[in-house]
Amino acid sequence: MKADPEAQRRLLDLQAIDIALTQLAHKRKALPEHAELGKLARELSTMEDQRVRAQVAVDDLDRDIDRLERDAEQVRARKEKDQARLDAGTGPSRELEALQHEIGTLNRRQSELEDAELELMEQRETAQAALDEVVTALEARRATRAEAERRRDEALAAIAKDEEFRQAGRRPLAADLPADLVTLYEKIRESSGGIGAAMLRQGRCEGCRIELAGGDRARVKAAATDEVVRCEECRRILVRTAESGL
């Protein structure tokens, strides 16, 4: 393939832009915020599970307290009714004695229910404190996540802006070069780790960092200036300049 020496030299400018774009793509993937957000997501998932369990514990205690309160209310209502009948003093003495016995039983039952309710209320206070602690920690973690997302978004925006700038410079440069030269460059770049063209500096290919052997060096030196030569080792386009050392 033939190409003007200046066009070949400009391949290095194109390559420099492409390297920068590759580095930006890598930078996007390797942002520390990605790893941080992944870790935060796992922590938040665990903390949310803890919050749900703590909330269930509080809800269960509330349900049990409500049940005891209803039972106690029924006992109080029954006791008040019995007491009213007893105070009225009507009915056979055996019935009045039965009312007194029942009132005594209801008093004991009310005391048991109130003691049980008090114990559950103390447990609920402890459970609520545990829930509040988890919720506070969860909110703090969510705030940390929001800050990490903000930093990530700012970094991504900066990378996108840099990419846009470099792509804006790449398009006219690639369009100005011979189409067949660009096609060859792109094909090599795709199969060679993103490097399609490399400078020949002091007899060494800057693509694979291998110095040209005697015969290969003579071949490149003898090639016409408009001949597109390639490294025998890495097959990348070798761009000759005043620094080639030939």
Side-chain angles (χ1 to χ4, degrees):
M1 179 185 293
K2 301 282 187 179
D4 183 80
E6 179 59 25
Q8 294 186 48
R9 282 191 288 273
R10 293 181 69 193
L11 267 185
L12 295 176
D13 297 333
L14 186 64
Q15 181 66 80
I17 292 174
D18 286 335
I19 289 174
L21 287 170
T22 299
Q23 290 171 339
L24 287 170
H26 175 74
K27 183 178 180 181
R28 177 188 288 106
K29 291 180 181 179
L31 283 176
E33 286 77 13
H34 291 322
E36 181 181 359
L37 285 168
K39 180 182 177 184
L40 285 169
R42 292 188 294 274
E43 291 177 352
L44 283 167
S45 178
T46 299
M47 294 172 74
E48 179 61 24
D49 289 343
Q50 293 172 345
R51 186 201 65 77
V52 169
R53 288 195 295 271
Q55 184 66 63
V56 167
V58 170
D59 292 343
D60 287 348
L61 287 166
D62 281 340
R63 184 175 60 252
D64 291 342
I65 290 170
D66 288 343
R67 177 178 54 78
L68 288 176
E69 180 58 36
R70 288 194 302 270
D71 291 348
E73 183 58 36
Q74 289 175 356
V75 169
R76 283 192 292 269
R78 179 66 180 271
K79 188 177 70 170
E80 288 173 3
K81 182 178 178 182
D82 287 353
Q83 188 64 52
R85 290 173 60 191
L86 184 62
D87 292 343
T90 59
S93 59
R94 180 177 296 179
E95 185 178 332
L96 294 176
E97 288 176 4
L99 285 173
Q100 288 179 327
H101 178 73
E102 184 172 321
I103 289 172
T105 301
L106 290 172
N107 280 331
R108 288 192 296 274
R109 178 58 177 159
Q110 181 178 349
S111 178
E112 290 171 357
L113 289 171
E114 289 174 349
D115 288 345
E117 184 178 357
L118 180 60
E119 183 179 347
L120 287 180
M121 289 178 71
E122 290 174 351
Q123 292 178 21
R124 190 201 183 282
E125 185 177 349
T126 300
Q128 184 65 53
L131 174 60
D132 292 343
E133 184 178 352
V134 172
V135 169
T136 299
L138 194 55
E139 289 174 350
R141 264 292 177 268
R142 285 171 177 162
T144 300
R145 178 181 62 184
E147 173 59 21
E149 288 174 339
R150 183 193 64 77
R151 286 187 278 107
R152 177 203 60 191
D153 292 344
E154 284 185 356
L156 289 175
I159 290 171
K161 184 176 181 181
D162 199 355
E163 284 177 329
E164 183 180 355
F165 172 76
R166 293 181 188 280
Q167 288 285 9
R170 187 187 194 281
R171 284 189 288 272
L173 176 57
D176 242 7
L177 295 172
D180 56 349
L181 181 63
V182 173
T183 299
L184 176 62
Y185 162 78
E186 294 287 9
K187 182 178 179 180
I188 298 171
R189 192 166 73 89
E190 184 178 346
S191 62
S192 301
I195 307 295
M199 180 188 290
L200 177 63
R201 190 192 301 272
Q202 298 303 315
R204 186 178 67 174
C205 171
E206 292 288 280
C208 60
R209 303 290 180 176
I210 295 177
E211 191 168 345
L212 272 60
D216 199 22
R217 187 179 187 126
R219 173 183 64 82
V220 173
K221 184 176 182 179
T225 57
D226 63 349
E227 183 73 27
V228 176
V229 297
R230 297 173 65 177
C231 174
E232 285 294 327
E233 292 293 333
C234 65
R235 302 306 297 159
R236 294 183 174 99
I237 296 171
L238 277 177
V239 178
R240 290 165 288 171
T241 69
E243 299 179 50
S244 293
L246 297 176

